[in-house]
């Protein structure tokens, strides 16, 4: 007999989550395009920026350069391909009783946002936020909104906040 999850995990934050399937994924559509954004990037970084970001400003380009690009240089593409080839997401049939945040970008062309709504049935104490003007790079494109949502979630997940 194991320890109930709620005694180990006080909360769960799901950012741009993929559910059991990705359906109704919108086409990649740029929300904001500032020509000055590309001055923040090396020429070889621009293609990845264009593929990932729907908000293309100097600020998001700097975040891409500082926080996304370093990780992309470490990726084992073949290994990642093997993982995704056999990857099955199964959220199970039960519920998770702790405080949960589910945040999705309305313009997320990688996993979409409609499946995030389906997750609510598994998380009875979840806040769901679908942010317009953000894609799969939501934490870089809407950092102030995400910081507020995470702050609220942390406040709710505190053990003394019952």
């Amino acid at each position: 007999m194991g320890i109930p999850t709620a005694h180990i995990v006080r909360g769960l934050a799901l950012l741009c989550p993929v559910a059991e399937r990705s359906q109704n994924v919108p086409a990649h559509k740029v929300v904001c395009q500032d020509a000055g954004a590309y001055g923040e990037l090396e020429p070889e970084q621009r293609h990845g920026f264009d593929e990932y970001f729907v908000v293309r400003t100097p600020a998001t380009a700097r975040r891409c350069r500082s926080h996304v690009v370093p990780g992309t240089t470490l990726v084992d593409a073949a290994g990642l391909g093997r993982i995704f080839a056999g990857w099955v997401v199964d959220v199970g049939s039960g519920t998770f009783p702790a405080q949960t945040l589910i945040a999705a970008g309305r313009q997320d062309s990688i996993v979409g946002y409609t499946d995030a709504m389906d997750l609510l049935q598994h998380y009875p104490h979840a806040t769901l936020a679908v942010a317009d003007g953000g894609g799969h790079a939501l934490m870089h494109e809407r950092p102030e909104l995400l910081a507020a949502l995470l702050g609220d979630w942390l406040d709710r997940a505190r053990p003394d906040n019952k």
Side-chain angles (χ1 to χ4, degrees):
M1 181 179 207
I3 300 170
T5 305
H7 295 293
I8 299 171
V9 180
R10 299 217 182 264
L12 178 66
L14 301 170
L15 308 180
C16 301
V18 61
E20 293 180 53
R21 64 207 174 285
S22 289
Q23 58 185 0
N24 302 319
V25 177
H28 190 70
K29 180 181 175 191
V30 176
V31 174
C32 175
Q33 179 72 56
D34 182 332
Y38 296 103
E40 299 289 334
L41 300 167
E42 296 298 324
E44 64 273 8
Q45 298 168 344
R46 294 174 186 170
H47 178 73
F49 179 66
D50 283 348
E51 284 187 331
Y52 188 51
F53 282 76
V54 298
V55 176
R56 300 176 186 161
T57 64
T60 58
R62 284 190 296 276
R63 289 186 199 106
C64 179
R65 185 185 67 225
S66 298
H67 303 292
V68 177
V69 170
T72 63
T73 63
L74 301 174
V75 170
D76 174 355
L80 194 59
R82 288 190 304 274
I83 291 168
F84 283 129
W87 191 26
V88 175
V89 177
D90 181 2
V91 296
S93 60
T95 60
F96 179 70
Q99 295 296 326
T100 303
L101 168 64
I102 303 168
R106 185 160 182 122
Q107 288 78 25
D108 186 337
S109 62
I110 296 176
V111 299
Y113 69 91
T114 59
D115 290 330
M117 293 184 285
D118 294 340
L119 292 172
L120 290 174
Q121 65 185 325
H122 298 284
Y123 303 97
H125 298 285
T127 293
L128 170 65
V130 178
D132 188 39
H136 200 63
L138 183 63
M139 65 283 308
H140 305 294
E141 295 167 331
R142 300 291 311 273
E144 294 85 7
L145 174 60
L146 194 55
L149 290 167
L150 286 167
D152 173 73
W153 167 71
L154 287 169
D155 287 345
R156 291 183 296 116
R158 281 197 180 104
D160 59 345
N161 192 22
K162 300 243 180 216

